[in-house]
């Protein structure tokens, strides 16, 4: 079993700054909470918090993130991009796309991105992303991107996620190196980082959009207690989802949870 020891992660890491400062824990509450404290204390961009286990792993909206000890990638990345708050979703785009590319490179498995923040293989969830930002007026002060990626465990043995989750080892039939996966992920985030600010073409948005499995599907989106049904037609460069309702009405949704409609019926 490979541990995510900082010396192992540093050995062969191709980045200049991302992942060069690692805070590694055998067990923490939530890596996002530790990263927030570090960011507030001035930790530089690219600093990561890694844990072998979380006792209070968080999803969005107060939901829980489960992962058996020493089996997954549980990390939070500190970013300090010069971005407006309105563009904060581009960080989720950057990290979900980079995670999908890293998974493909290391395991040969191609995950789809499920709007707004998951990686799926088939209908099952492989990874989730929790972005949290602190802003001053309209600018981001720092952002924490938390990534939970299922690597080496059997999801069917974890009752909380048995029906809905998958992992790389379950898909590949063998264990996958968490260290290599993390190194590829960090390299990909760093390489794509300049694309947060598009010059001519918006390559980040275009590449993210290409991998979105959600488009073209009939979906139900819940957004703050409101339900919208329709065809997921497209995404805008700011990341919002465009739905065409059954009555032909077009609705733009900034954040929400998507389910496929056949799952609801
Ligand atoms: C997410 O939330 O998908 C974001 C998850 C982010 C986790 C990382 S781990 C490192 C960092 N530190 C943290 O404390 N969090 C971040 P959401 O879209 O709300 O999905 C949460 C739902 O996914 C749960 O309610 C479960 O149904 C499901 N789930 C929980 N653990 C899972 C797992 N290991 N694999 C697949 N699905 C899971």
């Amino acid at each position: 079993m490979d541990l995510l020891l900082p010396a192992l992660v540093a050995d062969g890491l191709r980045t200049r700054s991302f992942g060069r400062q690692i805070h590694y824990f055998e067990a923490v509450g939530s890596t996002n909470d530790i990263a927030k404290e570090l960011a507030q204390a001035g930790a530089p961009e690219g600093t990561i918090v890694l844990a072998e286990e979380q006792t209070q792993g968080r999803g969005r909206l107060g939901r829980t993130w489960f992962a058996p000890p020493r089996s997954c990638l549980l990390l939070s990345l500190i970013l300090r991009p010069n971005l407006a708050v309105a563009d904060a979703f581009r960080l989720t785009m950057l990290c979900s796309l980079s995670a999908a590319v890293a998974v493909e490179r290391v395991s040969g498995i191609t995950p789809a991105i499920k709007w707004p923040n998951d990686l799926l293989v088939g209908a099952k969830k492989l990874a989730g992303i929790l972005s949290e930002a602190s802003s001053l007026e309209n600018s981001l002060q720092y952002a924490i991107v938390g990534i939970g990626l299922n690597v080496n465990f059997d999801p069917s043995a974890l009752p909380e996620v048995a029906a809905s989750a998958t992992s790389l080892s379950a898909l590949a039939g063998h264990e996958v190196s968490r260290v290599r996966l993390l190194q590829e992920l960090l390299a990909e985030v760093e390489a794509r980082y300049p694309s947060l600010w598009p010059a001519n073409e918006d390559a980040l948005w275009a590449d993210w959009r290409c991998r979105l499995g959600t488009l073209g599907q009939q979906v139900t989106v819940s957004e703050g207690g409101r339900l919208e049904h329709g065809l997921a037609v497209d995404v805008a460069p700011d990341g919002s989802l465009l739905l065409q309702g059954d009555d032909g009405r077009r609705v733009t949704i900034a954040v929400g949870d998507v389910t496929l409609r056949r799952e609801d019926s």
Side-chain angles (χ1 to χ4, degrees):
M1 179 192 296
D2 65 337
L3 291 180
L4 290 168
L5 298 170
L8 297 180
V9 177
D11 184 15
L13 185 65
R14 304 193 307 277
T15 61
R16 200 176 47 78
S17 63
F18 282 68
R20 289 290 165 192
Q21 298 224 13
I22 300 178
H23 296 258
Y24 171 77
F25 299 90
E26 187 63 45
V28 291
S30 156
T31 56
N32 265 36
D33 294 341
I34 308 270
K36 202 177 294 174
E37 283 168 22
L38 289 166
Q40 272 161 3
E45 174 159 87
T47 300
I48 61 171
V49 177
L50 279 180
E52 299 287 1
E53 181 182 3
Q54 293 185 124
T55 52
Q56 288 172 307
R58 289 191 280 118
R60 294 176 304 146
L61 307 169
R63 292 186 284 236
T64 306
W65 189 256
F66 303 96
R70 300 183 169 190
S71 66
C72 294
L73 280 188
L74 303 169
L75 76 136
S76 299
L77 176 60
I78 297 178
L79 297 170
R80 297 185 179 279
N82 186 6
L83 276 184
V85 171
D87 292 328
F89 186 74
R90 293 181 69 82
L91 301 174
T92 302
M93 276 186 204
L94 171 72
C95 292
S96 54
L97 175 62
S98 299
V101 171
V103 163
E104 191 168 277
R105 216 168 270 155
V106 173
S107 69
I109 291 158
T110 304
I113 298 172
K114 179 186 170 200
W115 187 91
N117 72 324
D118 293 344
L119 294 190
L120 297 189
V121 178
K124 297 202 165 175
K125 183 156 164 171
L126 179 71
I129 291 188
L130 175 67
S131 300
E132 298 178 304
S134 165
S135 57
L136 209 57
E137 299 187 347
N138 282 331
S139 300
L140 290 183
Q141 212 179 5
Y142 64 81
I144 310 294
V145 182
I147 303 174
L149 204 159
N150 299 336
V151 188
N152 295 321
F153 77 101
D154 176 6
S156 65
L158 194 62
E160 292 88 347
V161 298
S164 60
T166 190
S167 72
L168 291 182
S169 63
L171 291 162
H174 55 79
E175 296 219 335
V176 170
S177 163
R178 293 187 299 153
V179 169
R180 263 209 68 212
L181 189 60
L182 176 60
Q183 290 170 336
E184 288 295 334
L185 171 63
L186 293 167
E188 201 58 36
V189 174
E190 186 169 289
R192 289 180 184 269
Y193 188 77
S195 70
L196 283 172
W197 301 272
N200 305 312
E201 261 175 66
D202 190 345
L204 174 59
W205 174 68
D207 290 354
W208 174 74
R209 185 168 170 265
C210 272
R211 285 190 183 253
L212 267 181
T214 313
L215 298 184
Q217 294 186 325
Q218 289 288 342
V219 296
T220 296
V221 185
S222 74
E223 186 195 26
R226 198 162 57 100
L227 288 184
E228 294 282 355
H229 306 283
L231 179 69
V233 179
D234 208 348
V235 277
D238 69 358
S240 53
L241 181 69
L242 194 65
L243 274 196
Q244 168 130 19
D246 298 340
D247 54 2
R249 203 170 41 99
R250 289 212 164 191
V251 197
T252 303
I253 297 170
V255 281
D257 277 317
V258 171
T259 43
L260 289 183
R261 268 169 99 174
R262 56 183 158 75
E263 289 176 358
D264 315 329
S265 51

